[in-house]
Amino acid sequence: MNSLADQIARAETRIFKAVFPNTTNHYDTLFGGATLMLMDEVAFITATRFSRLKMVTVSSDKVDFTHPIPGGSLVELIGNIARVGNTSVQVRVELYVEQMYSEDRQLAVTGLFTFVAVDEHRRPVPVRSGVELVQS
């Protein structure tokens, strides 16, 4: 059986997107709702890759928008398992903004998303069998 650390490392998820005009607001920056949708998607993929079970979002916590994301830029979203519980996992998502035609890159948004593993009746199920479930 693989160690928890190996399982966590294999679940890391990275996705790149271009910021097109249909996702920007009146300031020509990425709309906050579109940002949250992208982050939740990456978090979902990360949680699913970790558990290989049906996962549902139960909360998002402490989403910090620290840098604007202009239209015409690129974003990289990185999801990592932050905590493993009995039936839940917490995923930290970092969103970096890159200028399309330069090496400039900045951390723009961070957030934590919690998912619960569910069965076909949408009842919580254990995310893994094993002894140590909490990753600091």
Side-chain angles (χ1 to χ4, degrees):
M1 182 167 174
N2 294 316
S3 75
L4 179 60
D6 290 340
Q7 192 173 350
I8 288 170
R10 280 194 317 278
E12 180 179 82
T13 302
R14 294 173 175 261
I15 294 177
F16 281 89
K17 297 280 189 176
V19 181
F20 291 115
N22 66 327
T23 60
T24 61
N25 58 27
H26 58 290
Y27 297 114
D28 194 33
T29 58
L30 186 61
F31 180 63
T35 305
L36 291 172
M37 182 183 75
L38 291 171
M39 293 177 77
D40 187 43
E41 179 181 349
V42 168
F44 167 77
I45 293 168
T46 305
T48 302
R49 291 181 72 211
F50 173 80
S51 68
R52 299 297 176 175
L53 297 168
K54 293 178 183 178
M55 303 297 287
V56 294
T57 308
V58 295
S59 71
S60 59
D61 184 39
K62 191 74 171 126
V63 177
D64 291 318
F65 295 80
T66 57
H67 190 272
I69 303 162
S73 59
L74 301 173
V75 293
E76 180 183 19
L77 297 106
I78 305 171
N80 281 289
I81 300 296
R83 184 179 180 284
V84 179
N86 183 33
T87 61
S88 66
V89 295
Q90 188 175 61
V91 179
R92 177 180 171 79
V93 177
E94 297 175 324
L95 185 151
Y96 291 87
V97 60
E98 295 184 6
Q99 297 310 311
M100 202 169 292
Y101 304 110
S102 77
E103 296 293 322
D104 185 35
R105 175 182 168 95
Q106 291 184 294
L107 179 61
V109 187
T110 58
L112 293 171
F113 295 79
T114 302
F115 291 81
V116 169
V118 295
D119 65 14
E120 64 275 1
H121 304 290
R122 297 191 180 139
R123 290 186 299 240
V125 296
V127 292
R128 68 179 261 127
S129 57
V131 287
E132 182 57 34
L133 297 177
V134 176
Q135 174 77 15
S136 303

